[in-house]
């Protein structure tokens, strides 16, 4: 199994669920993580990543970490200073239409969104609200492009787009697609030579459907034009995703693998969870399993069954532990506080 991994956690793209998979694998195999300085949750995002943002990094010691997966703005020469040269690089993308709808609710406080009532209103006259010089502009335009390290206000000419796609392909071994999450997990398992249980998951950091809205077609077209660079990245990697599946796995085997993954997840849900799945924040009984609530979104969580055996309880708990709590737990394990 591959143990040296760089995951570019693109915002609002099922990336918290992927991070939980990496946390569990790393914990099980005693791997080290490139944590943000002081145990924070982002690597000084939205600044471009620098090696010195990582706790325990020193330019004088050749120490490398196994897994880099916290939010960052990608900059490969700096990333290479903190992970082994053998590291596998991957990311996950989401359709920019749904991505922006999610960003609008989640980052309602961002400068471009704070004075506008609806996403449609924003898309009618984006430059009335959007300031390319503001420090949080990326939440409102070409968020994928920004997370990959490029300029979200850059020119979208075919030549520039091609250069950007080539640069991403040169840095990343593969890119997953969140709309095909189960297929993506099968591909991840294949590329990393992991077993099925390493890629099972329950969806984390998901919103209550009451805060989701569907955009009319006219707004969708405006949104694609406004996020043109993201749209180009997404459509390109959506295509290469299926090409890779055809080449490396084949559709028939993919169907079997997805079925096995879903069956295993359903079995774990029956074993671990009270009720049929996720619940509203107010209904989560164990406060340590309550996810951070953000913006106008209501982030769902889970209740574990009572009376699980010790080993099983641990497995189940890890599957539903929200990102911030899990990150803190692993940080304390890797950098134990000095005894009083």
């Amino acid at each position: 199994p591959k143990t040296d991994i760089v995951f570019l956690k693109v915002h609002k793209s099922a990336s918290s669920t992927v991070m939980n998979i990496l946390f569990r694998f790393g914990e099980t195999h005693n791997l080290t993580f490139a944590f943000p300085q002081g145990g924070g949750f982002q690597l000084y995002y939205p600044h471009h990543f620098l090696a010195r943002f990582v706790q325990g990094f020193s330019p004088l010691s050749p120490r490398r970490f196994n897994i880099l997966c916290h939010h960052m703005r990608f900059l490969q020469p700096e990333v290479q200073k903190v992970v082994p040269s053998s590291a596998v690089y991957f990311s996950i993308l989401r359709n920019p239409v749904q991505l922006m709808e999610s960003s609008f609710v989640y980052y309602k406080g961002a400068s471009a969104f704070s004075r506008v009532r609806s996403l449609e209103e924003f898309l009618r006259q984006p430059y009335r609200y959007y300031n390319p010089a503001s420090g949080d502009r990326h939440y409102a335009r070409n968020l994928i492009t920004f997370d990959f390290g490029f300029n979200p206000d850059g020119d979208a000419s075919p030549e520039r787009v091609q250069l950007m796609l080539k640069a991403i392909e040169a840095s990343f071994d593969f890119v997953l697609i969140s709309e095909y999450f189960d297929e993506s997990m099968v591909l991840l398992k294949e590329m990393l030579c992991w077993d099925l249980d390493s890629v099972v998951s329950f969806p984390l950091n998901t919103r209550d459907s009451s805060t989701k809205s569907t955009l009319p077609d006219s707004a969708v077209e405006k949104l694609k034009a406004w996020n043109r660079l993201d749209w180009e990245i997404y459509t390109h990697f959506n295509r290469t995703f299926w090409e890779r599946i055809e080449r490396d796995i084949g559709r028939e085997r993919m169907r079997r693998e997805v079925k096995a993954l879903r069956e295993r997840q359903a079995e774990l849900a029956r074993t671990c969870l009270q009720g049929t799945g996720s619940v509203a924040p107010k209904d989560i009984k164990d406060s340590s399993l309550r996810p951070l609530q953000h913006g106008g979104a209501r982030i769902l969580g889970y209740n574990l069954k009572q009376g699980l055996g010790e080993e099983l309880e641990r497995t189940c708990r890890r599957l539903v532990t929200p990102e911030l709590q899990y990150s803190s737990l692993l940080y304390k394990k890797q950098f134990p506080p000095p005894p009083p």
Side-chain angles (χ1 to χ4, degrees):
K2 304 255 194 315
T3 53
D4 299 323
I5 293 156
V6 174
F7 171 54
L8 178 62
K9 187 174 187 292
V10 171
H11 286 75
K12 318 292 344 126
S13 304
S15 53
S16 295
T17 308
V18 177
M19 199 177 189
N20 177 274
I21 287 169
L22 296 175
F23 279 167
R24 284 185 285 127
F25 186 86
E27 186 180 24
T28 306
H29 294 83
N30 285 322
L31 304 179
T32 57
F33 290 88
F35 284 108
Q37 278 284 359
F41 302 112
Q42 299 196 334
L43 290 153
Y44 287 79
Y45 187 88
H47 298 284
H48 271 108
F49 176 80
L50 295 174
R52 64 182 169 81
F53 296 163
V54 172
Q55 179 75 39
F57 170 79
S58 156
L60 307 172
S61 90
R63 177 169 189 194
R64 295 281 195 273
F65 300 91
N66 300 113
I67 298 177
L68 174 60
C69 63
H70 286 72
H71 271 310
M72 63 170 160
R73 189 173 183 205
F74 190 66
L75 186 61
Q76 191 164 19
E78 289 290 315
V79 168
Q80 286 167 333
K81 295 175 186 176
V82 299
V83 294
S85 56
S86 59
V88 176
Y89 288 67
F90 79 100
S91 187
I92 187 164
L93 304 179
R94 181 181 185 186
N95 184 314
V97 176
Q98 282 77 47
L99 176 70
M100 191 167 186
E101 188 273 326
S102 180
S103 285
F104 183 79
V105 175
Y106 206 80
Y107 302 113
K108 196 71 188 81
S111 57
F113 295 149
S114 58
R115 302 195 330 271
V116 60
R117 281 191 304 277
S118 69
L119 186 51
E120 288 166 73
E121 189 182 323
F122 174 83
L123 290 165
R124 275 198 288 275
Q125 296 175 284
Y127 281 111
R128 194 176 152 193
Y129 310 101
Y130 177 85
N131 174 5
S134 81
D136 61 1
R137 75 191 194 287
H138 52 283
Y139 292 124
R141 188 177 201 191
N142 289 317
L143 183 51
I144 297 170
T145 304
F146 184 87
D147 285 355
F148 273 94
F150 303 103
N151 176 7
D153 296 302
D155 147 46
S157 68
E159 299 74 31
R160 173 108 201 296
V161 166
Q162 280 311 308
L163 282 171
M164 186 171 67
L165 295 175
K166 283 199 163 54
I168 295 172
E169 288 193 317
S171 300
F172 287 83
D173 296 286
F174 56 100
V175 175
L176 306 174
I177 300 293
S178 71
E179 283 80 11
Y180 304 102
F181 192 79
D182 293 342
E183 290 83 353
S184 289
M185 291 308 99
V186 171
L187 186 60
L188 181 70
K189 170 175 90 72
E190 286 294 304
M191 302 305 289
L192 300 179
C193 307
W194 289 6
D195 63 11
L196 182 72
D197 267 13
S198 298
V199 298
V200 296
S201 63
F202 298 144
L204 296 176
N205 208 27
T206 54
R207 275 188 300 157
D208 179 353
S209 57
S210 69
T211 64
K212 296 179 183 175
S213 58
T214 311
L215 293 169
D217 293 349
S218 57
V220 168
E221 290 312 312
K222 282 180 188 147
L223 194 152
K224 286 182 193 171
W226 175 247
N227 293 298
R228 177 67 196 283
L229 294 171
D230 276 11
W231 187 250
E232 294 283 356
I233 293 174
Y234 177 77
T235 49
H236 174 81
F237 285 103
N238 189 0
R239 193 178 67 246
T240 59
F241 174 77
W242 293 104
E243 286 168 0
R244 167 153 263 161
I245 283 170
E246 292 281 2
R247 192 180 71 229
D248 295 350
I249 301 176
R251 296 272 171 139
E252 192 40 54
R253 188 169 141 230
M254 175 55 88
R255 265 198 293 277
R256 289 199 305 274
E257 296 264 0
V258 165
K259 184 168 177 278
L261 177 64
R262 286 175 181 162
E263 282 168 359
R264 180 67 181 128
Q265 275 165 190
E267 182 190 341
L268 277 165
R270 285 193 299 273
T271 305
C272 295
L273 304 178
Q274 285 182 30
T276 50
S278 53
V279 296
K282 65 175 178 23
D283 298 325
I284 300 167
K285 299 186 182 86
D286 181 342
S287 60
S288 70
L289 296 179
R290 200 168 288 146
L292 175 75
Q293 301 299 314
H294 203 292
R298 283 172 57 206
I299 306 299
L300 304 173
Y302 297 92
N303 286 316
L304 292 179
K305 277 189 176 157
Q306 301 298 300
L308 297 168
E310 194 182 334
E311 188 61 32
L312 188 56
E313 208 268 348
R314 209 188 107 96
T315 300
C316 293
R317 179 168 286 274
R318 291 293 188 258
L319 276 162
V320 300
T321 299
E323 178 184 326
L324 304 191
Q325 288 94 312
Y326 207 159
S327 184
S328 296
L329 188 134
L330 293 174
Y331 178 81
K332 288 191 188 98
K333 210 168 152 182
Q334 191 166 310
F335 299 104

